[in-house]
Amino acid sequence: MRGHVMPGCADPAEGERLGRANGHLLAVHLTITADDVDRFVADAAHEASASGWVSCPTLGGGRMPVQAGSFNLFALDSAPDSVSAEAVPARRRMLYRLHFTGAGGQALTLVGHKDVHDDPGADVWRDTSTLYVRILRGHTAPAGDAGAEVAAAGVITIHLPDFLRQLTTFRTRGPGGAEALARFGRLFLGELWDAYRDLAARPRAT
């Protein structure tokens, strides 16, 4: 995923705008690993580990290895108290948390989310390819995010050629590899259907 961030900015949308104007690049390259597909599918958090690197010249330059990382696929977001769960499909998020070290040995954490929910218009691709990120000082856990200093914020996306290449990189180990991929596929497509089912029911313009 590639995009722009702005140092000192806490809002990802504003950080993307200012970062683009000032040429502050951010790139992330990850390998996501689920050691146990059955557990990954059954667990409501759908958590896996993330490894790879972060590149941000503003915060330290070249490829900074991810020292510890996690990824959650379609974690459920609680609906507002004023809205019934029956009226609005549950919002889902893809969550990323990456610990790495920047210039001068500065501990940093990239926290990011993709909002997966049905807005007006055909937004499935935008939702699943757009990551809103903040880079926090220190190696934080979720409970410590609110009190951490924000080093930068912005937006990164996966482009279509990279996504198509990503589809060729799925691998399994051990017996039952084909069935493991099938279970993952059913989870992924099922969650997308739940998130966007109202889109399919809307009348089409003629």
Side-chain angles (χ1 to χ4, degrees):
M1 290 177 282
R2 294 169 285 155
H4 299 85
V5 294
M6 186 66 189
C9 184
D11 177 70
E14 183 71 359
E16 194 279 334
R17 184 183 69 81
L18 294 173
R20 182 181 295 274
N22 290 277
H24 295 307
L25 301 174
L26 172 67
V28 174
H29 185 277
L30 298 175
T31 297
I32 305 298
T33 303
D35 292 326
D36 184 328
V37 173
D38 289 332
R39 178 201 59 77
F40 178 81
V41 170
D43 180 8
H46 305 308
E47 183 166 335
S49 63
S51 59
W53 50 261
V54 177
S55 176
C56 184
T58 305
L59 297 176
R63 298 180 176 184
M64 297 170 281
V66 173
Q67 296 160 303
S70 63
F71 166 73
N72 297 84
L73 178 69
F74 298 130
L76 287 175
D77 231 4
S78 299
D81 293 338
S82 60
V83 179
S84 70
E86 292 75 22
V88 178
R91 297 169 69 97
R92 289 158 173 79
R93 284 189 165 193
M94 298 186 194
L95 305 176
Y96 296 74
R97 179 173 299 272
L98 310 175
H99 291 175
F100 63 101
T101 300
Q106 171 69 57
L108 298 168
T109 300
L110 184 150
V111 291
H113 70 272
K114 295 178 181 178
D115 276 319
V116 182
H117 63 281
D118 187 13
D119 288 326
D123 58 340
V124 179
W125 171 252
R126 183 187 65 212
D127 286 356
T128 55
S129 64
T130 303
L131 184 68
Y132 300 90
V133 304
R134 292 184 303 145
I135 298 176
L136 310 178
R137 299 200 184 277
H139 286 165
T140 67
D145 289 352
E149 180 185 353
V150 180
V155 177
I156 58 177
T157 60
I158 184 168
H159 299 274
L160 184 57
D162 295 327
F163 174 74
L164 295 175
R165 186 162 53 250
Q166 176 183 298
L167 294 178
T168 71
T169 64
F170 287 90
R171 299 289 186 272
T172 60
R173 297 190 301 269
E179 176 55 29
L181 282 178
R183 288 197 298 275
F184 174 82
R186 287 193 293 270
L187 168 68
F188 189 86
L189 294 175
E191 293 285 352
L192 283 181
W193 173 256
D194 284 345
Y196 296 100
R197 62 181 182 268
D198 288 347
L199 180 63
R202 290 177 191 153
R204 295 176 180 268
T206 57

